[in-house]
Amino acid sequence: MIDLHTHSNASDGTQPPAELVAAAAAAGIGTLALTDHDTTQGWAEAAAAVELVGVDLVRGIELSTTHRGISIHLLAYLPDPDDPALVAELRQTHASRAERLRTMVTRMEEAGVPITYADVLAQVDGPGTTVGRPHIADALVAAGVVPTRDAAFEWYLRGRSGFYVPHYATPVLEAVRLVRAAGGVPVMAHPLAAARGRVVSDDVIEAMAEAGLAGIEAYHHDHTPAQTAHALDLAGNLRLFVTGSSDYHGTGKVNVLGEHTTTPEVLAQIEAEATSGIPVLRH
Ligand code: AMP
Ligand code: FE
Ligand code: FE
Ligand code: ZN
């Protein structure tokens, strides 16, 4: 099985990269991509861990991007992690995420929600971690305010909750070009998952394809059958390849490893299109 979209505690997954790799091996995953939000911090630990368990590793990132206020997640496979433009962009997103976290928690404190900024930081597993709403969710769970991350999103963290503050994200066409310039392969994550919030119209995906998008994640937990069918249609029309992945976040989401998978042919295409010199680690 090939699962090309997972998270560790370098972003909002609940397991360290080595534990994620062990879980993947136990789940029968042969090729795993680590795609933490806006960071490559987990790459080194994952690379060391796959040596031990014999899983193949695709190093990636899930970039936060935007188009006219709509959030778009862009998977970048095998980019050069030292590409200066990519590094600068990730820094900017990180700085904005940190500031926004503080602002959101301040709003909650002012409204009498019983958590502090320190409570939220206590849920973050180390310096350099990409911080986000899931860490606030974990603090709300720890304080007994809500039972689960899901409930925290439903009641406190969603866009219209009154506590929500956006963060900087890269304009999507710029992000597609940035990933290609860093030698990576850009794939649009969960392109039509309206359950997550507003999604872009087909013409934006067409513009992304013109900018260098390589594929779309048609098979995803948050897609209805109709949304998957629509994604497959788009892929055919725009000559994009199709992936399927779990978007596993450990215990942070119900998604399970290998619940959607990608074909070996598409994996080979990703590897062939990458020009960064970052290989798929094989065992
Ligand atoms: P942020 O990037 O900080 O705005 O937070 C968005 C992240 O929260 C996404 O990457 C998801 O992984 C996570 N997320 C969104 N909705 C939920 C939910 N209902 N339950 C758990 N995690 C969620
Ligand atoms: Fe996430
Ligand atoms: Fe995503
Ligand atoms: Zn994801």
Side-chain angles (χ1 to χ4, degrees):
M1 288 197 285
I2 301 170
D3 189 341
L4 296 184
H5 182 170
T6 69
H7 297 267
S8 76
N9 68 355
S11 65
D12 59 354
T14 56
Q15 295 163 304
E19 258 179 52
L20 164 66
V21 165
I29 305 295
T31 305
L32 176 76
L34 174 64
T35 54
D36 275 310
H37 299 284
D38 305 308
T39 185
T40 61
Q41 171 153 278
W43 283 18
E45 183 180 320
V50 288
E51 289 275 332
L52 304 174
V53 296
V55 168
D56 293 350
L57 180 68
V58 178
R59 286 165 286 184
I61 313 171
E62 185 174 18
L63 291 173
S64 302
T65 83
T66 180
H67 181 77
R68 296 191 181 155
I70 298 177
S71 161
I72 301 170
H73 285 178
L74 186 70
L75 295 159
Y77 294 115
L78 307 170
D80 174 0
D82 300 319
D83 179 85
L86 179 59
V87 169
E89 198 61 23
L90 294 179
R91 281 221 179 98
Q92 191 172 342
T93 302
H94 265 239
S96 175
R97 278 179 166 281
E99 189 186 323
R100 165 272 198 153
L101 196 74
R102 203 182 255 283
T103 310
M104 283 188 70
V105 176
T106 300
R107 284 191 184 184
M108 295 172 105
E109 282 173 337
E110 284 167 1
V113 181
I115 58 164
T116 65
Y117 188 59
D119 293 337
V120 175
L121 289 187
Q123 299 299 326
V124 178
D125 279 322
T129 300
T130 301
V131 295
R133 285 181 285 166
H135 299 102
I136 303 177
D138 291 348
L140 291 167
V141 173
V145 177
V146 288
T148 60
R149 268 192 189 180
D150 258 331
F153 270 86
E154 187 167 343
W155 298 104
Y156 293 92
L157 300 173
R158 53 197 270 172
R160 281 169 299 168
S161 69
F163 303 121
Y164 180 77
V165 176
H167 62 75
Y168 170 80
T170 312
V172 70
L173 298 184
E174 189 183 321
V176 169
R177 294 187 195 106
L178 186 70
V179 171
R180 285 288 191 186
V185 182
V187 174
M188 188 180 187
H190 40 74
L192 300 163
R196 309 174 61 100
R198 289 166 69 209
V199 297
V200 294
S201 52
D202 291 358
D203 56 308
V204 177
I205 301 177
E206 188 176 339
M208 290 169 68
E210 276 162 24
L213 186 70
I216 57 176
E217 190 181 57
Y219 301 102
H220 184 280
H221 183 91
D222 295 341
H223 277 174
T224 63
Q227 288 163 349
T228 297
H230 184 175
L232 293 173
D233 264 359
L234 277 172
N237 294 339
L238 299 173
R239 300 171 148 273
L240 301 169
F241 63 65
V242 163
T243 66
S245 312
S246 67
D247 203 358
Y248 175 76
H249 282 68
T251 57
K253 278 191 184 179
V254 296
N255 308 30
V256 298
L257 284 162
E259 78 172 73
H260 295 287
T261 57
T262 297
T263 64
E265 291 73 24
V266 168
L267 174 63
Q269 194 170 341
I270 289 172
E271 202 170 5
E273 287 195 32
T275 57
S276 60
I278 302 294
V280 175
L281 298 177
R282 293 190 192 285
H283 300 96

